[in-house]
Amino acid sequence: MWLLVLPALAINVAIILIPALLTFLAAFSAWDGIGTPSWAGLANFLALIDDPIFWSSLTNNLIWTAIFLTVPVLIALVMAALMLAFPAARTPLQVIYFMPRIFAAAITGRVFQGMIYSPATGILGWLNAHGFALADPLADPDRSLFAVAGVDIWHWWGFLAVVFLAAMRQVSVDQIEAARVDGAGFTALLRHVLLPGIRPTLTLMLILTVIWSFTVFDFIYIITRGGPAYGSEVLSTLAYRHAFFENDVGQAAAAAIVMSLFGLCATFAYLRIQSREEGA
Amino acid sequence: MRLSRRQLVAAVPAAALAGARPARAQDGRTVITYWYGAANAAGQAALQHDLVEAFNASQSQWRLVMEVKGGAINNLLRVALLAGNGPDIVQTNGPSYLTPIATAGQVLALDDLAQKYGWKDAFLPALLNTDVFGGKLYALPRDYESMHLFYNKAMFAENGWKLPTNRAEMEAVAEAALAKGIVPFGNGNADWKGVNEWLLTVFINNVAGPDTVRRALTGELPWTAAPFVEAIDLSKSWYQKGYFGKNYFSLAGEQAFMQAVNGKAAMVMSGSWAFGYIGAGMNKPDTVMDVVPVPTLGSAFTGGLYQLGCGATMSIARNSPNVEGVVAMFNFIQTEGFYQAMNRDWPGKWTIPVKNLSPAMLKGIGYPLFEKAIADMHDAFESGKYGFTTWTFWPGATETYLIDGIEQVWLNRATTADYLTKMNSMFQQEMKEGKVPPIPPRTA
């Protein structure tokens, strides 16, 4: 039995546990990433607490989480229910909705930056030239996070819709038909039949969304690099900046640990819900 | 040397990976490896043709193999060096990037080789000395750079604008341009936040004066001193007046530069690499553009000022088994033929700071605007009349804050005093840790 588990365990220890432990140790050290590390105690965490950029980054992560727990989830639920209701359109719509997910983040990011938001080469520029005074949201520290979130939502909601549709197709047809016979409309069907029917999938996706929201990096780094004026900085871009631009691996590791704590909380919540459901 | 336990732990995988055995190419030559950072299509073609193929054709013992690694080269390099698995030729983005690598002993001291091959006499001391740490030379400078004021000379002539020689004249032209709906300075940082520090290099040096900057870089004066407050306030005032256009954060560097070429902007404050924007037509005889050093913006000096900058350093990896091959490459890049070909095909990145810059070397480039700038920079750097670029002399963390933090000042999210106080405290800490590169002397 143990022999069967061994290969997977060895891989996990080598590529997850050991790097995680080293990161944990790095958070308590002063290290420029190339010289010899020295013990720093809690200095890296205290420096983070004193840094207003850390707090604004954490706030941005929370805003990002709130956005992704609602906007793409709602769009995906409605679209999945509609696809369920219209089987003829289901296959082509699934392909179309899923397509943004297969594009590399770098390509999607650059397309939105250059062909949509850019005042020189994008749709926004064209609208400006035709009498609509619209500023580039990526250039505004108060709106840049939301502008990047818009790109990621475009890339993400279709995937959620396909996952939710797959779950909805497991809901008993008899139950759906009975609701319809009883006069349930689209909203009532979604609320009282489909949502309870896909609750385990929905819970899993929401918990994963929390975890992913605290590790979000790619779109933000590609499109705004956390700017302007740290307006779209999140914990992962903060950690990256500390590690690779400021050569302060200790601070980067401390930020990464804070990031991981939120993921850990979400994981524990999921495990707890799962064990409760299994016990029921 | 006694190894600590931590060094020993790091050394075990490094030794396993290194092997320290020279690799052989199919033709029996010994391979020397070289990682390059970011290069556009023209740059990659020039590197391949003028450097790799030309070097390999110039001798029969070594085969130079270059990999273009992109913008994250510094991150990759540090990790690879730590693992003992980096390239033979270690190229960094300049002295401030080299400092931690050299002090960690990841590259070889070059003093004996420099003596043997006459490098100390071949390179401009102002540049070569930026690669000396603890009395030892660890790299050769690959180029020299400065900020310049590019301007649309046709637009200036058409509007009767006089080329500015001080702050008042610069602001007069900027206001006149704004009144005509022209962007005063065609700068943009959408693709590279470092544009912020290009501008700050100008403001800090040309407002406070290079001697004041040098005093701050050597720790004699804090960055919170009045001349620096004036410099940052001026940058904020120009940004908020719209001198850099309303799309500063939306336009990429080359896009913004093209505004000046296309008559939508009057001037651009950019670095020597901007000569590489060949698409802007600056290498053509009938170009609309001209270039001068950026004029004084304060009362510390009169006239224009070049700021001493080094865009890349080249060293030999500590574990390299091919030292002689790297030396051959280092000697090759100092030849007249390479200098002309590389600067003709990809201007601005490979102005090797050779001490004896003969007119023949420049003439072979065939790009008058660039040749004029190289000759002027060479004179300034040779005679000690220069300022200091932030990307060469500011240590890593301070430089990063300089770049990112200034956006908070420009966008009213931090005060000048807060910004300079934080920058000063980061600088003093890094200075204490020995992370400030050597600051060359200058003459008044």
Side-chain angles (χ1 to χ4, degrees):
Chain A
M1 164 95 180
W2 278 105
L3 277 176
L4 290 173
V5 177
L6 205 58
L9 192 67
I11 291 169
N12 273 284
V13 166
I15 67 171
I16 296 174
L17 186 64
I18 292 175
L21 287 175
L22 289 175
T23 304
F24 186 77
L25 283 178
F28 297 92
S29 70
W31 187 35
D32 65 4
I34 196 158
T36 308
S38 61
W39 179 252
L42 291 172
N44 291 318
F45 292 95
L46 295 174
L48 273 189
I49 290 168
D50 276 346
D51 182 3
I53 306 302
F54 165 73
W55 293 107
S56 65
S57 303
L58 184 58
T59 307
N60 282 343
N61 271 113
L62 292 168
I63 293 170
W64 188 275
T65 308
I67 293 171
F68 276 81
L69 282 176
T70 51
V71 181
V73 173
L74 287 174
I75 299 172
L77 281 172
V78 171
M79 298 313 282
L82 283 171
M83 282 193 284
L84 192 73
F86 301 101
R90 196 180 290 161
T91 305
L93 283 180
Q94 280 190 88
V95 173
I96 293 167
Y97 293 163
F98 196 79
M99 205 168 278
R101 182 72 191 148
I102 62 174
F103 296 141
I107 293 170
T108 306
R110 287 293 179 211
V111 165
F112 269 81
Q113 192 181 28
M115 295 172 71
I116 295 180
Y117 291 135
S118 169
T121 55
I123 292 171
L124 216 69
W126 185 86
L127 289 170
N128 272 314
H130 290 81
F132 298 91
L134 295 169
D136 176 5
L138 298 177
D140 179 349
D142 292 326
R143 294 193 295 151
S144 57
L145 184 76
F146 298 97
V148 182
V151 182
D152 204 355
I153 287 169
W154 179 84
H155 154 266
W156 178 236
W157 76 263
F159 169 76
L160 279 183
V162 172
V163 171
F164 290 154
L165 175 66
M168 284 176 186
R169 291 178 71 181
Q170 305 304 313
V171 176
S172 159
V173 179
D174 295 345
Q175 216 179 338
I176 295 171
E177 289 303 322
R180 278 187 178 146
V181 169
D182 288 345
F186 177 78
T187 316
L189 183 72
L190 181 63
R191 188 175 162 197
H192 298 294
V193 179
L194 295 178
L195 277 183
I198 66 163
R199 204 176 64 183
T201 305
L202 188 60
T203 309
L204 175 65
M205 293 317 292
L206 291 178
I207 299 237
L208 287 177
T209 298
V210 174
I211 296 171
W212 289 331
S213 294
F214 276 92
T215 56
V216 59
F217 176 80
D218 49 4
F219 281 106
I220 292 176
Y221 191 73
I222 289 162
I223 298 174
T224 62
R225 286 188 163 79
Y230 306 108
S232 56
E233 188 94 291
V234 287
L235 290 175
S236 61
T237 53
L238 178 80
Y240 189 80
R241 184 159 54 80
H242 281 313
F244 294 112
F245 289 96
E246 297 177 4
N247 303 328
D248 190 342
V249 177
Q251 283 261 314
I257 282 179
V258 174
M259 229 159 73
S260 306
L261 283 178
F262 286 91
L264 266 180
C265 290
T267 308
F268 280 126
Y270 177 68
L271 291 175
R272 201 176 161 143
I273 291 166
Q274 203 181 35
S275 64
R276 207 167 51 195
E277 279 174 357
E278 280 169 0
Chain B
M1 186 180 77
R2 234 188 116 195
L3 288 174
S4 70
R5 261 182 303 175
R6 268 174 292 206
Q7 284 170 321
L8 205 61
V9 168
V12 171
L17 285 165
R21 271 256 190 94
R24 298 263 170 208
Q26 281 184 337
D27 57 7
R29 297 186 190 197
T30 305
V31 170
I32 46 177
T33 51
Y34 174 41
W35 290 359
Y36 201 88
N40 59 19
Q44 290 193 35
L47 285 166
Q48 195 58 38
H49 182 262
D50 299 334
L51 177 62
V52 177
E53 289 169 16
F55 172 72
N56 290 339
S58 71
Q59 42 71 45
S60 56
Q61 195 181 352
W62 313 100
R63 178 157 296 283
L64 179 63
V65 175
M66 182 191 70
E67 285 180 62
V68 177
K69 296 285 189 183
I73 179 77
N74 286 302
N75 312 343
L76 295 172
L77 197 59
R78 290 161 69 90
V79 175
L81 288 174
L82 199 61
N85 204 22
D88 294 307
I89 300 165
V90 176
Q91 180 175 298
T92 75
N93 283 1
S96 65
Y97 293 87
L98 174 68
T99 310
I101 292 173
T103 48
Q106 293 292 347
V107 289
L108 294 178
L110 302 178
D111 297 271
D112 292 344
L113 294 169
Q115 187 70 33
K116 187 174 171 185
Y117 295 101
W119 293 339
K120 285 186 177 167
D121 294 325
F123 284 80
L124 281 177
L127 274 298
L128 197 67
N129 290 340
T130 59
D131 300 328
V132 175
F133 304 94
K136 288 183 179 174
L137 176 71
Y138 283 97
L140 297 181
R142 193 201 64 191
D143 62 12
Y144 47 58
E145 301 172 332
S146 174
M147 290 298 291
H148 308 263
L149 181 70
F150 295 87
Y151 66 100
N152 185 317
K153 63 182 176 189
M155 182 190 287
F156 269 63
E158 203 177 290
N159 289 285
W161 295 337
K162 186 174 155 269
L163 188 62
T165 58
N166 55 44
R167 186 198 298 185
E169 290 175 10
M170 193 89 120
E171 289 181 337
V173 172
E175 292 295 337
L178 275 181
K180 298 195 80 171
I182 295 167
V183 175
F185 296 97
N187 286 99
N189 82 346
D191 60 336
W192 181 243
K193 272 180 167 240
V195 177
N196 297 352
E197 71 170 324
W198 305 353
L199 299 177
L200 286 178
T201 286
V202 170
F203 285 109
I204 291 172
N205 281 278
N206 291 37
V207 171
D211 287 317
T212 310
V213 174
R214 192 175 187 283
R215 285 178 64 205
L217 285 170
T218 50
E220 284 178 43
L221 196 68
W223 290 106
T224 49
F228 304 118
V229 174
E230 186 188 345
I232 299 304
D233 280 344
L234 184 68
S235 77
K236 179 180 174 182
S237 153
W238 281 21
Y239 174 82
Q240 295 190 344
K241 282 179 183 171
Y243 284 10
F244 302 113
K246 61 179 180 182
N247 294 326
Y248 176 78
F249 290 112
S250 305
L251 295 181
E254 198 163 344
Q255 248 177 348
F257 191 96
M258 289 304 287
Q259 293 181 109
V261 181
N262 297 328
K264 289 178 181 160
M267 302 171 274
V268 187
M269 290 198 282
S270 192
S272 306
W273 49 87
F275 288 102
Y277 300 160
I278 294 176
M282 292 189 300
N283 56 341
K284 304 269 164 51
D286 60 346
T287 178
V288 298
M289 300 298 290
D290 205 346
V291 62
V292 288
V294 187
T296 179
L297 297 174
S299 54
F301 67 97
T302 55
L305 180 72
Y306 284 112
Q307 300 87 10
L308 182 71
C310 176
T313 64
M314 302 181 84
S315 306
I316 305 176
R318 183 185 60 179
N319 297 325
S320 172
N322 303 316
V323 174
E324 287 303 315
V326 179
V327 166
M329 189 272 204
F330 283 180
N331 285 331
F332 175 79
I333 61 172
Q334 296 170 49
T335 60
E336 191 172 301
F338 173 77
Y339 189 94
Q340 289 173 344
M342 200 67 197
N343 282 297
R344 178 193 63 225
D345 296 338
W346 196 27
K349 289 278 188 182
W350 285 82
T351 44
I352 312 286
V354 289
K355 200 186 270 180
N356 297 317
L357 185 70
S358 69
M361 276 173 101
L362 289 176
K363 212 169 170 55
I365 298 172
Y367 185 168
L369 215 55
F370 183 43
E371 291 160 29
K372 181 181 82 167
I374 297 178
D376 285 355
M377 275 193 290
H378 191 275
D379 286 348
F381 297 156
E382 190 172 38
S383 61
K385 291 177 178 167
Y386 47 73
F388 302 88
T389 57
T390 56
W391 59 90
T392 304
F393 296 104
W394 267 243
T398 311
E399 186 200 2
T400 303
Y401 181 68
L402 179 94
I403 294 170
D404 293 322
I406 192 64
E407 294 182 352
Q408 292 193 299
V409 177
W410 291 347
L411 296 165
N412 292 325
R413 295 191 154 205
T415 63
T416 298
D418 290 343
Y419 174 65
L420 286 175
T421 302
K422 185 165 177 185
M423 188 172 96
N424 187 57
S425 103
M426 292 174 90
F427 182 86
Q428 301 308 335
Q429 178 63 30
E430 289 196 281
M431 178 166 250
K432 212 188 307 173
E433 292 167 2
K435 291 178 179 170
V436 179
I439 310 299
R442 65 176 307 280
T443 52

